[in-house]
């Protein structure tokens, strides 16, 4: 697998920035893994939280968001490094807002389910 | 220059730790998938073992990410020490910049694909379970 064209453009950024970008990628990957872990944990450890079809749909949706977030974190890593190589402003991203909404909605949704399941 | 001497060792170390934390997070998801597979074995019924397939995909994803973490840790550690020895001779810690390469696209893409495969296994494990 060859390095893509953008990795030969511009100049190599300071290694500290490259490593920080790498750690940011890993932080997003861990967020993605946390969503996957949450989905499968709810499915297995809280079988009575909702009727079975509802529970499965909710957990599958959470897992899809988790898997999609892995793709986004790879894309973001590439965009960030391309911007640093060409000395441009770092790209703005709606992922932060999107994830805030996802986590808030999931938390409120499961809180309601826990209350109703009693 | 003071900037060049700053932080000779901690950047690679923090990056290595971040990779290892990521591997630990992945193993947590593995445990849930394997737990379902093992608890399903008790009342084994004939037919294709979907949970077994999910467990296998999860194991493969773990092997891939563990290899990436191993390769990357070696790169960071080895380069760090080489730069350190060189710096001791030349008083030029900034040579580390030349010795600490950014992660290659192959490693980053491999870990992304491993997490996506694990996501597929999680979705299959949830959807095929009762």
């Amino acid at each position: 697998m060859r390095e893509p064209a953008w990795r030969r453009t511009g100049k190599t950024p300071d290694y500290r920035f490259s490593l920080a970008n790498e750690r940011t990628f890993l932080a997003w990957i861990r967020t993605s893994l946390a969503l996957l872990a949450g989905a499968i944990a709810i499915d297995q450890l809280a079988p009575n939280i909702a009727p079975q079809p509802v529970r499965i749909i909710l957990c599958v949706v959470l897992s899809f968001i988790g898997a999609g977030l892995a793709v986004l974190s790879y894309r973001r890593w590439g965009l960030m490094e391309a911007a640093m190589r060409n000395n441009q402003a770092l790209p703005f991203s709606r992922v932060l807002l999107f994830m805030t909404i996802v986590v808030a909605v999931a938390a409120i949704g499961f809180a309601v389910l826990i209350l109703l399941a009693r | 220059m003071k900037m060049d001497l700053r932080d000779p060792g901690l950047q690679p170390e923090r990056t290595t730790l971040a990779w290892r934390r990521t591997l630990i997070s992945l193993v947590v998801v593995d445990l849930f998938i394997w737990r379902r597979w093992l608890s399903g074995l008790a009342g084994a019924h004939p037919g294709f073992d979907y949970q077994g397939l999910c467990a296998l995909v999860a194991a493969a994803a773990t092997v891939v990410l563990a290899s990436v973490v191993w390769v990357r840790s070696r790169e960071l550690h080895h380069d760090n020490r080489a730069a350190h020895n060189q710096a001791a001779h030349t008083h030029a810690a900034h040579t580390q910049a030349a010795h600490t390469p950014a992660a290659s696209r192959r490693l980053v893409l491999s870990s992304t694909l491993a997490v996506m495969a694990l996501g597929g296994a999680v979705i299959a494990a949830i959807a095929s379970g009762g």
Side-chain angles (χ1 to χ4, degrees):
Chain A
M1 188 172 359
R2 286 176 49 217
E3 295 291 316
W6 61 261
R7 271 212 116 164
R8 294 190 293 273
T9 61
K11 66 187 203 26
T12 307
D14 186 325
Y15 79 100
R16 286 169 290 184
F17 301 155
S18 300
L19 294 186
N21 189 27
E22 189 178 337
R23 291 196 297 273
T24 307
F25 162 76
L26 290 171
W28 279 111
I29 283 287
R30 283 196 298 279
T31 308
S32 149
L33 287 169
L35 284 177
L36 295 178
I40 198 163
I42 289 166
D43 183 57
Q44 288 189 21
L45 303 181
N48 298 322
I49 196 167
Q52 185 184 323
V54 177
R55 189 193 76 214
I56 288 181
I57 288 172
L58 284 177
C59 291
V60 166
V61 167
L62 269 189
S63 315
F64 265 111
I65 294 174
L69 197 56
V71 182
L72 282 183
S73 49
Y74 174 72
R75 199 173 145 256
R76 225 169 123 77
W77 171 81
L79 288 176
M80 291 287 180
E81 193 174 307
M84 285 194 291
R85 295 192 81 89
N86 296 313
N87 224 358
Q88 289 166 343
L90 295 182
F92 175 76
S93 164
R94 272 178 241 279
V95 181
L96 288 173
L97 178 62
F98 173 71
M99 278 311 297
T100 309
I101 293 172
V102 165
V103 172
V105 167
I108 294 171
F110 283 109
V112 169
L113 284 178
I114 290 168
L115 284 175
L116 291 180
R118 300 205 156 259
Chain B
M1 284 199 293
K2 209 164 172 51
M3 268 291 282
D4 293 335
L5 292 170
R6 220 184 104 226
D7 198 13
L10 293 185
Q11 289 282 348
E13 186 175 344
R14 281 159 62 193
T15 309
T16 306
L17 288 172
W19 276 105
R20 293 192 184 153
R21 276 202 304 278
T22 307
L23 182 61
I24 293 170
S25 307
L26 187 131
V27 171
V28 172
V29 181
D30 279 348
L31 291 178
F32 278 108
I33 294 180
W34 294 335
R35 176 181 180 268
R36 159 154 287 173
W37 171 55
L38 291 174
S39 63
L41 283 182
H45 39 77
F48 188 72
D49 186 0
Y50 279 104
Q51 298 297 338
L53 182 66
C54 295
L56 196 67
V57 171
T62 312
V63 169
V64 169
L65 190 69
S67 311
V68 171
V69 171
W70 187 71
V71 169
R72 190 66 182 136
S73 301
R74 255 174 66 102
E75 276 177 9
L76 289 168
H77 181 71
H78 176 79
D79 297 333
N80 188 27
R81 203 158 54 179
H84 189 77
N85 292 339
Q86 201 168 355
H89 290 298
T90 62
H91 295 282
H94 68 267
T95 51
Q96 185 177 3
H99 287 277
T100 306
S104 71
R105 191 178 78 104
R106 188 187 324 185
L107 292 183
V108 175
L109 186 59
S110 304
S111 44
T112 305
L113 291 176
V115 172
M116 286 176 65
L118 188 75
V122 166
I123 291 167
I126 293 173
S128 70

